[in-house]
Amino acid sequence: MNKLLMAALCAALACGSAWAVDPIRPEEIVLTHAAPLQKISGKIKGRATAEYSIAVPAGAKIDIRLTGANRSANFNVTAAGADEALFVGSRDGNRFHATAPTATVYRVSVYLMRNAARRNESASFVLEAGLGAAR
């Protein structure tokens, strides 16, 4: 009986990493006309995602730029309630700029591409978010 219990415990521990949820660190970036630019430094590793929410008033211009030490670091931008990203960094580059048609909250997700995530690479990054005229 003890051997069966030990075998079941070992199997559960071996599968534990498959059950683990990829870590997401949500944070809020507050942009105002008094402080229109925020620079956030961070680090991601493996399948971890750094996630930021930015509230943008109607008609305001938003500019987001990512610089990182790892070429596989990218970011996506999704509007509140949207099913698909407005901006996909791996396809669209390292800078997003738009004018918000209505007051909305944009979700910015910084991640490593799958090839780097599988190798458990890490990336330091700086995310710059600006409100107002494009920089």
Side-chain angles (χ1 to χ4, degrees), residues 6 12 27 35 71 78 83 91 97 108-109 112 119 125 134:
M6 287 301 289
E27 293 183 39
R71 295 179 69 128
T78 307
D83 292 332
R91 176 190 67 208
H97 53 276
V108 180
S109 302
L112 284 171
R119 291 189 298 266
F125 65 88

Side-chain angles (χ1 to χ4, degrees), residues 20-26 43-51 110-111 120:
V21 176
D22 293 340
I24 296 177
R25 303 179 323 234
K43 186 173 183 176
I44 51 176
K45 183 174 181 178
R47 290 182 169 87
T49 301
E51 190 169 284
V110 181
Y111 64 94
N120 205 33

Side-chain angles (χ1 to χ4, degrees), residues 39-103:
K39 288 186 179 184
I40 295 91
S41 297
K43 186 173 183 176
I44 51 176
K45 183 174 181 178
R47 290 182 169 87
T49 301
E51 190 169 284
Y52 304 93
S53 60
I54 305 171
V56 180
K61 293 180 181 177
I62 181 80
D63 188 25
I64 303 170
R65 183 178 313 175
L66 177 73
T67 53
N70 189 322
R71 295 179 69 128
S72 292
N74 286 293
F75 74 104
N76 293 347
V77 178
T78 307
D83 292 332
E84 294 184 20
L86 297 168
F87 176 88
V88 178
S90 61
R91 176 190 67 208
D92 301 327
N94 66 347
R95 184 174 179 200
F96 168 77
H97 53 276
T99 302
T102 60

